[in-house]
Amino acid sequence: MNKQKPINLTLNFLNEMGVAANNDYAFINREMGIVNSMYEMNNRFFHVGQPYRTKEMRILRGLRGSARMSVNLMEYTIKEHTIGLIPPNALLQIVDISGDYDIQALAADSNFIPTQQHSILTDWHTQQAFFLDNHVEEWRRTGTFFSLIWDAVHLQPYRREVVQHLITSLLYNVHYLQDNYHRDELLRPSRHEELFRRFITLVNEHCKTQRTTAFYADHLCLSPRYLSSVIRDVSGHTVVEWINQAVVLEAKVLLKHSDLLTYQIADELHFPNPSFFSKFFKRMTGMTPQEYQRT
């Protein structure tokens, strides 16, 4: 398969690779996909520690076992009774996974959502990952949506509008859970925590080209000194450390999932030259870019 550009985990790519062909456990077309059991699919495409770029929005429903994953630099655990939302164009990395881990997953292209609903479902909440744990009633309700969608995609002839509106209804329900979560006084993040989340969102969006504290402080209408203080207090890491971590993940995606040469990747990530990029990558990972490609 020609890989002139980095491979994203798109619905089309999964179909082409045969990772999740339509079978007893998965249904995927060019607009949406649903997996009833990742465990039963015996899916070995994902590797622990390797980052991937996901194009479409994804909703996850933990069935058993547990997995720790990083979504846009933030780490989450998904297990039984967990509901998760991964926003579009997210950088995903599996940190650790148990042998019995199983989830249901649904992905939908943003163009599949009816136009009149799209703006409501793409506010700032949906630009951040959202995970809700141990809410059994909502977890079961989400399971009902999954069952309805699973049944609908197998009807003949294919009832596209039915599937479309069922997925939109599920998104509205998750959107409601997000709003409810943020209104809850006991769960509501502090102002500094919210600022940190907004900072991380900006880092994931701009780290390829912007690596100064001043740039992010300006976008957040803060002084660089104040932003640095908040980020260190909330996360225990500096602004530069978060930016560097994001750049390394972008580099790993390019090294593993593209045919770009090292000097081209250095240029893509706006390093002054390949030597500077290689030294940066080795300092951050302990390996040269070429050594990482061979792992």
Side-chain angles (χ1 to χ4, degrees):
M1 183 179 179
N2 187 10
K3 301 185 296 179
Q4 295 305 313
K5 294 183 179 180
I7 292 176
N8 293 326
L9 291 184
T10 67
L11 295 166
N12 289 345
F13 171 70
L14 293 176
N15 266 326
E16 291 166 5
M17 293 295 290
V19 174
N22 297 343
N23 53 40
D24 290 342
Y25 306 106
F27 176 93
I28 295 180
N29 61 28
R30 294 184 179 276
E31 297 179 311
M32 60 78 59
I34 182 170
V35 176
N36 241 355
S37 172
M38 195 70 72
Y39 181 85
E40 293 295 343
M41 286 174 56
N42 195 26
N43 191 339
R44 301 185 184 279
F45 180 75
F46 295 96
H47 300 285
V48 172
Q50 183 173 319
Y52 302 88
R53 176 71 71 181
T54 62
K55 179 187 175 185
E56 297 91 5
M57 170 279 306
R58 282 162 168 75
I59 294 177
L60 309 177
R61 183 171 179 267
L63 300 178
R64 70 166 184 258
S66 65
R68 286 190 299 126
M69 63 180 66
S70 169
V71 183
N72 291 339
L73 301 180
M74 302 291 288
E75 191 170 301
Y76 305 90
T77 298
I78 183 167
K79 54 189 184 298
E80 184 181 7
H81 299 153
T82 298
I83 303 166
L85 171 69
I86 298 177
N89 197 38
L91 199 58
L92 171 67
Q93 185 176 33
I94 305 299
V95 179
D96 189 33
I97 190 168
S98 65
D100 63 341
Y101 179 63
D102 196 11
I103 63 168
Q104 292 178 318
L106 184 143
D109 188 272
S110 59
N111 294 324
F112 191 53
I113 308 302
T115 304
Q116 64 270 27
Q117 318 296 339
H118 194 264
S119 61
I120 300 173
L121 297 171
T122 54
D123 61 14
W124 75 269
H125 285 328
T126 55
Q127 304 309 309
Q128 300 182 357
F130 170 71
F131 286 78
L132 181 65
D133 294 320
N134 299 319
H135 201 310
V136 178
E137 182 180 354
E138 290 296 347
W139 178 82
R140 287 174 177 162
R141 183 170 292 113
T142 304
T144 300
F145 277 107
F146 268 79
S147 294
L148 289 170
I149 295 167
W150 179 257
D151 288 342
V153 297
H154 291 93
L155 294 174
Q156 296 295 332
Y158 178 62
R159 303 179 186 181
R160 181 179 182 274
E161 290 77 11
V162 174
V163 175
Q164 187 180 41
H165 288 284
L166 282 171
I167 291 176
T168 303
S169 296
L170 173 56
L171 283 172
Y172 265 112
N173 196 62
V174 174
H175 190 271
Y176 170 83
L177 295 177
Q178 287 178 287
D179 281 346
N180 204 43
Y181 178 89
H182 285 282
R183 283 195 301 265
D184 193 318
E185 291 288 347
L186 297 177
L187 299 174
R188 184 185 301 169
S190 68
R191 181 177 180 275
H192 284 184
E193 289 170 336
E194 193 55 54
L195 182 61
F196 172 68
R197 294 181 185 183
R198 291 171 59 198
F199 163 73
I200 289 296
T201 299
L202 286 172
V203 168
N204 280 285
E205 184 178 354
H206 297 288
C207 69
K208 285 185 177 182
T209 59
Q210 302 293 339
R211 293 175 198 154
T212 66
T213 303
F215 171 84
Y216 296 97
D218 183 61
H219 271 61
L220 293 168
C221 301
L222 303 170
S223 71
R225 182 177 180 180
Y226 182 72
L227 177 63
S228 297
S229 176
V230 169
I231 299 307
R232 183 184 285 276
D233 287 347
V234 172
S235 69
H237 297 281
T238 67
V239 168
V240 172
E241 285 172 339
W242 281 111
I243 296 170
N244 286 346
Q245 185 178 344
V247 174
V248 165
L249 288 176
E250 294 286 357
K252 285 181 175 180
V253 171
L254 292 167
L255 288 165
K256 284 289 190 181
H257 301 304
S258 81
D259 287 335
L260 297 178
L261 301 176
T262 301
Y263 80 90
Q264 294 171 310
I265 294 174
D267 185 61
E268 175 81 10
L269 297 176
H270 288 75
F271 282 91
N273 55 61
S275 176
F276 195 94
F277 166 63
S278 295
K279 289 177 181 177
F280 167 82
F281 191 86
K282 185 166 185 179
R283 174 168 60 85
M284 295 294 295
T285 68
M287 294 182 285
T288 67
Q290 294 77 12
E291 289 170 339
Y292 176 75
Q293 283 182 313
R294 293 194 293 266
T295 61

